[in-house]
Structure formats: C-alpha cells, structure tokens
Amino acid sequence: MNVTVIKQNMLKNIPKVDRVLEWPQVQLLLGQYPRPEILHVVRLILDRLRDSVKNGARTDLPDNREIIGMIGSELRSRTAPSLRKVINGSGVVVHTNLGRSALADAAEAAIQTVSAGYSNLEFDLATGERGSRYSHVEGLLCELTGSEAALVVNNNAAAVILALSSLATGREVIVSRGELVEIGGSFRIPDVMCQSGARLVEVGCTNRTHIRDYQNAITDTTSLFLKVHTSNFAIVGFTAETRLEEMSALGRERGIPVMLDAGSGCLVDLAPYGIKGEPTIRRYLEAGADVVTFSGDKLLGGPQAGIIVGKKELIEPMKKHPLLRALRMDKLSLASLEATLRLYRDERKAMAEIPTLQMLTLSPKELSSRADRLMRYLRRQLPENVTLARHSGESSAGGGSFPLLQLPTTLVEVRIAGATPSRIETTLRHTVTPVVGRVHRDRFLIDVRTIPEKDFPPLLASLLESATILTEK
Ligand SMILES: *Cc1c(COP(=O)(O)O)cnc(C)c1O
C-alpha cells in the first residue's frame, strides 16, 4: 500500500466528534467542565490528530483510552491558571523571572483588606474631601530615608522616566560612560534618556570617570548630573568612579542637581549581616544626591514599585507632571508597599519578616539545618526510587544587586532512578506546582535558601508527581 492510501485509511478511522462525545468517560467529564468547553477540546484534539497523520508525524492511531487521556489533560491545562505559584529552587533570591520578592505576611494581608472592598485610596478621612493616593506612603518614606519628599510610581523604570522628563526634557544630562547600563528587559539608560526628551552627554571612560570630566562638560543647557548604579555588573581593575559627594559639591557650586538611579535600593545596612557594599538610600541622600530612584521589589522586598525620594522642590513638580497619571501605582501595590515599609520602622522586624531580607541573611548553619529538615521530611514520604543527597554551593542575590556576591548555601540533589538530571529538571517544571532548579555537573540541584518551610509540602507533591511520571515511562 502506498503512503497516501495508508494515511487515508488512518484519517477514516479517526473517530467522529459526536461519537467521542458519547463515550462514557467523556460523558463523565460533563460533571466537571461545561459542555461547550468539552466540545471545543474534543474538536481540537481530533484536528491535531488529523494534522499529525497528514504531515506524517503519526504512523499509527492512538486507542480510545489515549484519546480520552489527551482530552482530559487538555481540559486541565486550559482551566489551570497561566500565572501560578512555583517553587524557587534556584537560590536566586530576587529572581526577576519568578516574580522578584516574595511579600511579607503583613503585605499580603494589606492586599487582602484593600482588594476586598472600598478604601480611602484617594479620600482624605480628616476633611472628607478628595485625597492623594501618594499620601499613604510619603511620610513613611521620608521617615525611613531622611528625605524631604517622596513619590511612588509603577516601577523604577517609570521613576527614572518621570524624573528625567520632569527635570531634564530638552536639556542636557551628564552621565559617566561607565554607567550607561542595560538592566534587562530592554531598559537601557541611553534609550530611556532619549524617551524622556533629555540629551545624553557621555563623559569619562568605561573604567574611569573623574569629577573634572563632569566639570568640563557643563554647558548653559546642562540640567542634571545623573549617576546610575551599575547593578548587574562590576568593573574591576584599574577603575575610578566619581563619588556622589564630589558630584554634589560641584553641582551645588554650579546650580546643577544630582540624580541617582540606585537600582535595587536598600533601606537597611546589610554590612553587619555580612553583605557589604550597598549603601542605604539614607546614605545616598546624606552624600548629597538631590533625587534618588529605586525599586520596590528588589532588595526592599516589597511589591513592584518605583520610589522617588529627595528634595521637595524637585519632587513637587513631578507630582504635577502629566506622565504621572500614566505611571501611577495601583491600590494593591500601594497597600502592600505601605505594609512593607512599616516593618522597616523596626530593623529587627524587617529582617525577620521580609522574606527577601530573611533569605539573603540566612547563615550557613541555618541553611544546613533547613536542608536536614527538608531531607528528613521528604525521605519519610518519597518512594524508594527517589533519592536525595546534599552538597555545598552558592546562592546569589539577584535583581541586579551584588553581582559578584556568592552566598554559601546547601544544595539538595534529587535523583530519580532511570531518569537523567535534565529529564528530572523538565518534569519538575511541568508539575502542578512547578519546581525551578538547576542542572550542574550532571546533577539536578535545588537550593534550600529560597525554599521556605511552607513550600515543603508542595515540593513533596511535585516530587511525587514527577516520580510517578518518570517511572510510568
Ligand atoms: C532594576 C533597575 C532598574 C529598573 O527597575 P524596575 O523596578 O525593574 O523598573 C532601573 N535602573 C537600575 C539601575 C536597576 O538596577
């Protein structure tokens, strides 16, 4: 028989939609899913089958049981939410692709309260008149950073665009060549500058910029010195960076404000916890920055937000800028930002209750005992073909902060009999609660730093699910 005839026979044997709908197992699905949804999926699966016969991808037809399996799993995946919880076994604390910071309980509760009903978002309870959404966090931000004024927007990229648009449109902004950063997600300082209508004046060299470089570049239309945190990279070796203090002194002399895009932005000094090199926002302001912008969901450990602090005379015009309406923060983020900031009034509370800070500062001993607890918990319930081993390794801060920092940690290796590490990695990414780990030197590893105790049960469920899938094959 030639290929065309075989294909035509196969196509003829693909069951009709009406028949499939009558199968008892499909009838059972009617209890769980609406009929139009089932009809749609049955058509979809049969169409796919037809296509794969036509293009030669299939040389035999699945039996009815398999077709029912396909229908069931398609229905499940169509009804499961697309955006869902994952277990972060990567050890990257502020993982941009995994939603950056996990929120503190207080922040989660604030979202719950504000989302479930009405709120005084833009209503002044004291006067009964219209209020400002920004008022809920401005005071706290000033208190925590020593700033004169503060404003929050959707994210730090928006904060930079708003600040530049307000301070520098149509005028020149002087930036060091060593700070023309690309953050990822196509946020590039030169492009952002262009968007805001400011003219970029580059000075210095990639590795060295001196205060005289800024001085020599000043013209009548210079509106701003911009300093950008290099965040996700480090220039090492023969380097010189102009200090904020020097820039601010020159700026004061010539009437030019200094703006700092601090990137991650930290409200507590992490040096006593062994994480050195990131000055606090308060320190930046003390060093003479007139405007500082930073993210809410990086080291701060709150929701997505862009925070602007600094001189009142520079921030007030931003509050009236037409762009602000387009960049404004929503009430849920505002509620959780306020709750997160409140924790910072007591540093001990912040360190203990903000997951990002807590995970970053876990000691090697705490990590080792967490690994013990995790392995004991899992071993009690995992089948024999799943085995665990511990290794030492390194985690990183992520979120474009501390690019060179390697935090000692404990890794747990997961082995499933008969499956390669990369097969384990793929399978775990497809479980009900996906697990993100890494394959390194032919081992599948998860880092306990980013797996809090409350994730142990869903991790166990995902391992059980994977073990079942991998042994069926
Ligand atoms: C992360 C970062 C940004 C962007 O902040 P988002 O909150 O992600 O918008 C801008 N500048 C620097 C230096 C950064 O590190």
Side-chain angles (χ1 to χ4, degrees):
M1 260 196 297
N2 75 29
V3 178
T4 332
V5 176
I6 294 174
K7 280 189 183 174
Q8 274 165 359
N9 276 338
M10 278 171 71
L11 288 173
K12 246 184 273 161
N13 286 329
I14 292 177
K16 299 279 169 296
V17 174
D18 294 341
R19 284 297 325 277
V20 174
L21 288 172
E22 284 164 10
W23 291 349
Q25 293 94 325
V26 176
Q27 286 286 310
L28 273 179
L29 290 171
L30 277 167
Q32 288 175 60
Y33 303 97
R35 194 186 153 81
E37 181 75 8
I38 296 176
L39 181 62
H40 174 84
V41 166
V42 169
R43 284 206 176 111
L44 188 83
I45 296 294
L46 296 181
D47 282 347
R48 270 188 210 156
L49 212 52
R50 225 165 273 127
D51 288 344
S52 53
V53 169
K54 282 184 198 154
N55 66 26
R58 273 201 99 100
T59 51
D60 58 352
L61 285 182
D63 59 24
N64 294 0
R65 200 182 56 98
E66 278 178 81
I67 294 178
I68 290 161
M70 291 174 186
I71 293 167
S73 84
E74 180 69 25
L75 279 166
R76 271 192 303 280
S77 79
R78 279 169 61 87
T79 41
S82 167
L83 179 59
R84 54 204 224 264
K85 175 186 172 65
V86 307
I87 292 166
N88 178 7
S90 73
V92 180
V93 177
V94 182
H95 197 308
T96 294
N97 302 147
L98 302 184
R100 289 207 181 147
S101 285
L103 295 179
D105 290 347
E108 199 184 331
I111 292 179
Q112 181 80 35
T113 308
V114 165
S115 60
Y118 298 107
S119 64
N120 62 335
L121 179 67
E122 292 186 346
F123 184 73
D124 186 337
L125 292 170
T127 62
E129 280 163 23
R130 192 198 163 113
S132 155
R133 68 175 60 217
Y134 305 105
S135 67
H136 303 292
V137 289
E138 183 170 18
L140 266 167
L141 283 166
C142 291
E143 182 186 319
L144 296 169
T145 64
S147 172
E148 287 178 9
L151 181 60
V152 289
V153 286
N154 200 31
N155 55 14
N156 187 31
V160 173
I161 288 179
L162 176 64
L164 286 175
S165 304
S166 175
L167 299 168
T169 298
R171 300 173 65 207
E172 291 176 354
V173 176
I174 304 179
V175 190
S176 159
R177 289 199 171 89
E179 296 171 6
L180 295 173
V181 180
E182 176 180 310
I183 301 303
S186 73
F187 180 89
R188 303 172 122 194
I189 290 296
D191 300 345
V192 169
M193 191 85 76
C194 185
Q195 269 306 310
S196 65
R199 267 201 314 287
L200 169 66
V201 178
E202 301 174 21
V203 297
C205 292
T206 307
N207 57 332
R208 289 170 74 86
T209 303
H210 308 280
I211 191 66
R212 61 171 184 276
D213 296 321
Y214 290 88
Q215 195 156 12
N216 294 339
I218 296 173
T219 69
D220 291 344
T221 64
T222 302
S223 60
L224 196 67
F225 294 152
L226 174 64
K227 195 164 176 57
V228 184
H229 194 296
T230 50
S231 293
N232 49 10
F233 71 100
I235 301 182
V236 294
F238 184 56
T239 64
E241 184 189 348
T242 312
R243 289 169 50 238
L244 209 44
E245 285 86 348
E246 296 173 274
M247 291 172 70
S248 150
L250 176 63
R252 268 199 309 278
E253 194 186 303
R254 307 294 294 266
I256 299 166
V258 178
M259 168 172 154
L260 168 71
D261 171 6
S264 206
C266 200
L267 297 180
V268 288
D269 182 9
L270 293 175
Y273 304 91
I275 300 174
K276 301 197 172 67
E278 185 65 35
T280 60
I281 298 297
R282 179 182 288 276
R283 264 301 295 139
Y284 284 134
L285 291 171
E286 283 166 1
D290 298 296
V291 173
V292 180
T293 74
F294 56 105
S295 289
D297 54 355
K298 291 185 180 173
L299 285 180
L300 192 117
Q304 181 184 305
I307 300 170
I308 311 174
V309 292
K311 292 264 153 61
K312 200 177 176 93
E313 70 198 63
L314 301 177
I315 289 183
E316 287 307 313
M318 295 179 202
K319 293 184 180 168
K320 301 190 184 80
H321 196 282
L323 259 183
L324 180 61
R325 178 63 174 76
L327 305 177
R328 82 177 183 191
M329 214 174 156
D330 80 294
K331 62 179 179 181
L332 304 187
S333 306
L334 256 175
S336 65
L337 180 63
E338 183 191 350
T340 307
L341 291 172
R342 275 183 197 286
L343 295 172
Y344 277 98
R345 280 185 164 156
D346 176 353
E347 185 178 316
R348 266 189 334 213
K349 225 175 149 88
M351 298 309 294
E353 293 182 22
I354 296 174
T356 295
L357 295 179
Q358 204 257 335
M359 289 181 202
L360 272 176
T361 55
L362 282 169
S363 71
K365 214 171 122 214
E366 287 167 310
L367 289 159
S368 169
S369 65
R370 180 183 283 184
D372 287 341
R373 285 195 303 279
L374 176 63
M375 289 169 77
R376 235 180 300 133
Y377 171 80
L378 295 175
R379 275 185 181 135
R380 271 205 304 273
Q381 302 170 76
L382 283 172
E384 261 170 26
N385 61 337
V386 185
T387 50
L388 307 171
R390 54 186 295 152
H391 303 277
S392 52
E394 273 98 35
S395 350
S396 55
S401 45
F402 307 106
L404 303 182
L405 182 73
Q406 297 201 310
L407 299 161
T409 192
T410 305
L411 307 170
V412 174
E413 179 187 359
V414 178
R415 296 186 209 131
I416 301 179
T420 62
S422 83
R423 187 95 169 78
I424 298 173
E425 190 271 337
T426 315
T427 311
L428 277 167
R429 254 192 296 116
H430 288 88
T431 50
V432 171
T433 310
V435 179
V436 179
R438 62 182 126 137
V439 175
H440 182 66
R441 294 206 184 132
D442 213 32
R443 287 171 178 156
F444 175 76
L445 301 163
I446 49 176
D447 186 334
V448 299
R449 182 184 296 276
T450 43
I451 307 178
E453 216 101 357
K454 67 173 181 194
D455 278 356
F456 287 7
L459 175 59
L460 170 68
S462 297
L463 289 173
L464 288 170
E465 196 182 331
S466 302
T468 311
I469 295 168
L470 289 170
T471 33
E472 264 174 8
K473 297 280 146 93

